[in-house]
Amino acid sequence: MKQIHFIFVGKPKDSAFAELEVEFCAKIKHSVDISLTYVKDSQAASIEVRKKEESQFVLDKIKKSDVVVICDEHGQTRTSIQFSQNLKSWMEQGQRVVFVIGGPFGVTEALIQLARFVLKLSDFTLPHELARVVLLEQIYLAF
């Protein structure tokens, strides 16, 4: 069975978002094998150091055969139908599809260059906890 893996920087701090993450993961598991990893968020004072540390935590969890999709404000937008088509295509290309949502300051350019696709979830600025729920919902709808 194909697998989708999520790598999120930091655990949800708001219990309502945490519950929604669990709810959507349970729904998605009926259609595809999924897993979720939370990597710790950096406490560095410098934004660049934070991005570098958090991106390294993410890189440590990625395999060479993974199809990596990074959610980033500078990515490309997709309709739900386009996203569903992309997801099915990505799942055919590798062992697992890995979706990454970085910390509040994003991820490094080196991590973005590793990605098969950079996805913009919305033209609005979304809190990271909400972005996770939006991504999970779109994956649920894709199946």
Side-chain angles (χ1 to χ4, degrees):
M1 178 182 253
K2 298 290 184 176
Q3 184 183 36
I4 297 176
H5 184 68
F6 301 95
I7 303 174
F8 297 152
V9 173
K11 292 186 176 180
K13 292 167 182 55
D14 185 317
S15 63
F17 286 114
E19 289 173 22
L20 284 169
E21 283 184 23
V22 169
E23 181 181 326
F24 276 110
C25 285
K27 290 178 178 182
I28 295 167
K29 282 183 180 182
H30 293 292
S31 302
V32 66
D33 185 24
I34 66 165
S35 57
L36 175 84
T37 300
Y38 294 104
V39 297
K40 67 180 185 172
D41 43 350
S42 171
Q43 301 302 311
S46 160
I47 291 173
E48 285 307 310
V49 172
R50 285 182 76 165
K51 284 173 57 171
K52 187 174 181 179
E53 289 178 355
E54 291 169 352
S55 293
Q56 187 58 55
F57 297 150
V58 170
L59 281 168
D60 291 343
K61 303 294 182 187
I62 293 174
K63 301 174 186 174
K64 284 190 174 199
S65 59
D66 289 340
V67 175
V68 179
V69 179
I70 296 183
C71 297
D72 184 83
E73 65 183 335
H74 302 293
Q76 298 177 40
T77 58
R78 290 287 182 259
T79 65
S80 293
I81 291 171
Q82 290 169 327
F83 177 75
S84 175
Q85 292 166 342
N86 286 146
L87 179 59
K88 289 171 183 156
S89 172
W90 296 327
M91 291 182 75
E92 293 170 359
Q93 294 176 21
Q95 287 185 305
R96 69 179 184 165
V97 178
V98 176
F99 287 93
V100 175
I101 295 183
F105 302 108
V107 297
T108 60
E109 187 61 33
L111 185 52
I112 287 176
Q113 293 300 318
L114 178 73
R116 179 78 46 92
F117 190 79
V118 182
L119 176 67
K120 181 177 184 175
L121 292 172
S122 174
D123 285 333
F124 292 118
T125 301
L126 300 176
H128 283 75
E129 292 174 319
L130 180 57
R132 296 171 183 180
V133 172
V134 169
L135 175 63
L136 290 166
E137 182 205 21
Q138 289 303 306
I139 291 171
Y140 169 69
L141 292 175
F143 291 102

